[in-house]
């Protein structure tokens, strides 16, 4: 593939990512400053148990995979870490593993 073609694809992908991310928003009612609102540690836990919560949510409307309202950014960061790091997201997605 030629360099101009690769560059135009990169620009198109960046433009698409910006367009899609512009649609993201959080409802003010979804963020709480109360002491009892789920924070970073609850987000970490909810991210870790996400696969099981998702399966359960398919069969029961009482099970949710994401707590609302929560503390906002810190809950989201914990949720992300729980899914990717604790859940093995990047490890299990790798194509090759080193064997000793």
């Amino acid at each position: 593939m030629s360099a101009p073609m690769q560059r135009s694809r990169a620009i198109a992908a960046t433009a698409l990512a910006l367009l899609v991310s512009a649609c993201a928003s959080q409802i003010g009612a979804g963020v709480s400053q109360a002491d009892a609102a789920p924070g970073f540690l609850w987000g970490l836990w909810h991210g870790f148990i996400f696969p099981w919560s998702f399966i359960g949510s398919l069969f029961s409307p009482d099970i949710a995979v994401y707590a609302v309202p929560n503390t906002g950014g810190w809950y989201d960061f914990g949720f992300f870490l729980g899914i990717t790091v604790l859940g093995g997201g990047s490890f299990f997605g790798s194509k090759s593993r080193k064997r000793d």
Side-chain angles (χ1 to χ4, degrees):
M1 193 179 315
S2 66
M5 180 72 107
Q6 288 179 338
R7 188 174 188 183
S8 64
R9 281 190 172 187
I11 290 171
T14 303
L16 180 63
L18 287 173
L19 182 66
V20 171
S21 67
C23 300
S25 67
Q26 188 167 14
I27 299 170
V31 178
S32 174
Q33 300 303 326
D35 291 335
F40 175 76
L41 293 176
W42 277 112
L44 196 64
W45 175 248
H46 290 160
F48 182 67
I49 64 168
F50 171 77
W52 298 278
S53 300
F54 177 70
I55 292 169
S57 71
L58 295 175
F59 300 104
S60 174
D62 297 333
I63 299 174
V65 296
Y66 189 81
V68 176
N70 57 51
T71 56
W74 282 112
Y75 178 84
D76 293 341
F77 182 61
F79 192 80
F80 172 75
L81 284 179
I83 287 177
T84 59
V85 177
L86 294 177
S90 60
F91 176 73
F92 293 118
S94 66
K95 291 183 179 180
S96 65
R97 296 181 198 157
K98 293 181 181 179
R99 295 182 188 215
D100 294 328

